[in-house]
Amino acid sequence: MSASLFCKLAVGALAIPSTVLAIPAPTFNRRVPGETASVNTRAAPIKILIGNDDGWAEANARQLYADAQQAGNDVVLSAGAKNGSGLSSLNIDYGKVSGAEYGSIPDGAPQAGFNQTDPRLNYFNGTPVAAMENGFQELTKKFWGGAKPDIVLSGPNVGSNLGAVTLISGTVGVATYAVGQGVPAIAFSGGDKTTRPWTALQPGDISHLYSQLAMTITNQVISSKPFLPKGVSLNVNFPAASANCSSASDFKYVFTTIYPLVPHIGCTASVGGSVTLISTPAEADVITSGACLISISAMSSYKLDVDTATQTTVFNKLKPILSCADVKDHILSAIFPLSTLRRREDLEDDVAGAVEGTVDTL
């Protein structure tokens, strides 16, 4: 991928206005018993619009949809008919369906459609942002009388979105699109890179784990208004599961920055009976630490870190679930995360091509 194309992806410079074809939406019965809810946490009913860049049939998004509903919310999913990873903020319609992921939609089907059993599960044949735009323009009329969602949840993405990769992530693009519409948003990404359809969902699998963790953060965000400061979304990353990090109770939530060496706030912790100020770590260093840590960064509409005053506001909102983490700084891994997210010593020989390599593997 050329540097010029990377820049266009990063800022969505190739965006094309999205329109919905004026043809009836088809229905497909695609729900299976494995698509079950695993979270019983109740929150005040709010309007949640869910998107992603992995497609409407991906297991992670379907489980988050189920769990958000189980929590008592008014939930609608609007995602692409096919995988759109790495398409950033591009806004392009593809027309009639061809090559839908996992064979979830027949070729030649209309551009927009829904699940026969549950019409709140919707696809749109376009980029991730185009699918989210369809949710705002069409599905809000259908389900909420034209009212905007209260919050947008994007993901959980299959694979991490850390540091510079946020610029090209479709999952992040969906979140920043929502913020542009005046709606707070959270982009969730998971370190597990296994793509699989909703038909492969099993109780207690990685999709259930990521969804539980996502709902813990979501419930804290929606616990009081405003949910987030205007123009702000959260970039959240979960590590891959391991023997030591296999259940929701194993994980701790850490407030982070997207990039290192930016103005940040500190986390005050009690260490050995004394109060210690721990600097806010970069999200890539938290995820590559090998610990059961989840990174939460406050992100501007430009997919960058917010100022310290806004960080403080977000930190205070999330404080009941946050932990301090004294993660050793690995600056190169934070700025140039490879698809394997290797440590500093492994990056030194090939850091110049890291971003290019990351883009090509998406």
Side-chain angles (χ1 to χ4, degrees):
M1 176 176 289
S2 68
S4 62
L5 179 55
F6 175 82
C7 292
K8 289 178 180 179
L9 285 171
V11 300
L14 300 179
I16 297 175
S18 175
T19 56
V20 182
L21 297 182
I23 41 184
T27 61
F28 305 105
N29 186 359
R30 300 290 184 181
R31 195 147 182 157
V32 295
E35 190 178 355
T36 57
S38 60
V39 174
N40 295 317
T41 300
R42 305 291 295 186
I46 62 168
K47 300 183 296 295
I48 299 178
L49 186 58
I50 293 179
N52 71 353
D53 74 0
D54 296 309
W56 85 307
E58 188 61 43
N60 283 357
R62 289 294 185 94
Q63 189 59 52
L64 180 59
Y65 169 83
D67 287 347
Q69 278 195 327
Q70 180 68 15
N73 300 300
D74 189 354
V75 190
V76 176
L77 181 144
S78 182
K82 59 184 72 176
N83 190 307
S85 296
L87 293 181
S88 187
S89 293
L90 295 180
N91 191 339
I92 304 174
D93 299 350
Y94 299 148
K96 290 186 177 181
V97 174
S98 175
E101 65 175 352
Y102 308 125
S104 57
I105 311 164
D107 287 351
Q111 185 173 33
F114 56 88
N115 177 287
Q116 182 179 11
T117 304
D118 186 352
R120 288 172 172 264
L121 291 168
N122 291 263
Y123 77 81
F124 184 81
N125 194 31
T127 59
V129 166
M132 180 53 55
E133 182 178 69
N134 182 63
F136 270 82
Q137 293 185 348
E138 302 299 326
L139 300 181
T140 56
K141 299 175 186 176
K142 181 177 180 180
F143 295 105
W144 300 323
K148 291 181 180 180
D150 296 309
I151 192 169
V152 165
L153 306 181
S154 184
N157 186 68
V158 178
S160 301
N161 282 307
L162 300 160
V165 176
T166 58
L167 296 175
I168 60 169
S169 164
T171 298
V172 172
V174 166
T176 53
Y177 172 84
V179 167
Q181 305 304 306
V183 175
I186 309 175
F188 296 107
S189 301
D192 186 276
K193 300 178 182 179
T194 305
T195 58
R196 60 202 180 96
W198 79 103
T199 52
L201 283 168
Q202 298 293 330
D205 65 11
I206 190 65
S207 295
H208 284 76
L209 175 60
Y210 285 162
S211 183
Q212 289 180 55
L213 298 171
M215 286 307 301
T216 295
I217 297 171
T218 300
N219 285 335
Q220 182 58 39
V221 169
I222 66 176
S223 63
S224 62
K225 292 185 177 181
F227 294 164
L228 290 170
K230 183 178 180 180
V232 173
S233 60
L234 300 181
N235 188 46
V236 176
N237 279 272
F238 309 124
S242 65
N244 295 324
C245 309
S246 59
S247 64
S249 60
D250 294 330
F251 291 85
K252 295 183 182 300
Y253 303 87
V254 179
F255 192 69
T256 56
T257 58
I258 300 172
Y259 296 97
L261 305 181
V262 299
H264 57 77
I265 62 174
C267 181
T268 302
S270 178
V271 180
S274 61
V275 176
T276 301
L277 187 66
I278 298 175
S279 296
T280 306
E283 57 190 16
D285 292 320
V286 166
I287 297 303
T288 60
S289 68
C292 306
L293 300 177
I294 296 165
S295 68
I296 308 178
S297 301
M299 182 169 56
S300 74
S301 59
Y302 298 102
K303 306 175 185 178
L304 300 172
D305 289 292
V306 299
D307 58 46
T308 53
T310 306
Q311 286 183 45
T312 301
T313 299
V314 176
F315 178 87
N316 289 335
K317 181 62 175 285
L318 299 172
K319 195 171 182 179
I321 65 171
L322 293 178
S323 297
C324 285
D326 193 2
V327 180
K328 183 180 180 181
D329 186 25
H330 297 275
I331 293 176
L332 293 181
S333 67
I335 300 176
F336 302 107
L338 293 173
S339 59
T340 52
L341 288 173
R342 292 172 292 171
R343 289 290 193 176
R344 177 199 291 267
E345 56 268 25
D346 299 318
L347 285 165
E348 289 175 343
D349 294 334
D350 57 0
V351 68
V355 171
E356 184 85 10
T358 301
V359 173
D360 292 340
T361 61
L362 289 175

